[in-house]
Structures are given as structure tokens and as C-alpha cells.
Amino acid sequence: MPLTSFDFQQARVKQVLFKSRLRSVLYGVREAEASLFSPQENPLGQWLHTVLQPQHGAHPEVRELDRTVQQMLRTGQDLATRYQRGHIEEARTGLDQINTFADHIETLLLSLERGLAAA
């Protein structure tokens, strides 16, 4: 079944959800759950592994997207650890790194969406 723009929009929402949850952790609203940082349990990681990779895993953008998502999750986990260790401002400043990953993920999603629509 071909991917639609709705599928890509869902991925974007999942990315925003991750950033929102991470921000909640770094501002003391919620506890960091391991599932937030697990590629198999994180909603964006799940979408990537269950929807995108099975159909389009051979595309270079998909492989780059997987690497970038994993880097973003590892960085998020590192920021949560810093926060838990009392390095609160350092952890919050690290959100800029998450935004950089998110921007790159958006670029990859857009490229894939356009490329698959043209195919």
C-alpha cells in the first residue's frame, strides 16, 4: 500500500510528540521513561520500522532517517540523564541539538514524500 501525505503527516506529529515529551522531562513535568528513547518503542521509531522501512528501506533517505532518529533519541536520553544528575541548564540548552535533528528529519521526510509521490 503506497504511503500518502497523511502517513508523512503522522510521522511529523510523532516527532513533535517526542520533542514535547522530552521538554516535559527537562522541565520536571514528567519522569523520563525508557520507551521514549527506544527506537522500537518510540512512536516515530515504530513508524519508521513498521511502515517506512518495509516498503522503502532501500532508499538512501530512509537509511539516513533511521540514523538521524537514532541519534536524536540517544541525544534526548543523554539530555534526560544530564537533567537527572542536576545539570539542568546544560540539559535544557541541549534542546537546540534536538531541534537540529528534527529539522534534518523534516527535510528527509519532505524529500521522501516528494520522491515517492513522483514515482
Side-chain angles (χ1 to χ4, degrees), residues 56-119:
H56 304 287
H59 286 46
E61 294 95 339
V62 174
R63 291 190 300 274
E64 178 67 17
L65 185 60
D66 185 35
R67 279 192 296 274
T68 305
V69 168
Q70 287 186 36
Q71 287 177 313
M72 182 176 72
L73 296 178
R74 279 193 305 271
T75 300
Q77 187 170 31
D78 179 56
L79 296 177
T81 300
R82 290 179 194 193
Y83 177 82
Q84 291 168 342
R85 291 182 179 160
H87 303 281
I88 296 169
E89 286 308 312
E90 181 182 322
R92 290 177 183 168
T93 302
L95 285 169
D96 288 341
Q97 293 175 281
I98 298 298
N99 289 328
T100 300
F101 288 125
D103 291 344
H104 188 56
I105 289 169
E106 174 59 28
T107 300
L108 291 167
L109 287 172
L110 191 56
S111 175
L112 270 168
E113 184 175 15
R114 289 179 179 162
L116 295 176

Side-chain angles (χ1 to χ4, degrees), residues 2 8 10 14 22 28 34 36 42 53 69 71 84 93 97-98:
F8 286 96
Q10 283 184 316
K14 292 173 190 311
L22 178 59
L36 181 62
N42 175 279
Q53 282 182 337
V69 168
Q71 287 177 313
Q84 291 168 342
T93 302
Q97 293 175 281
I98 298 298

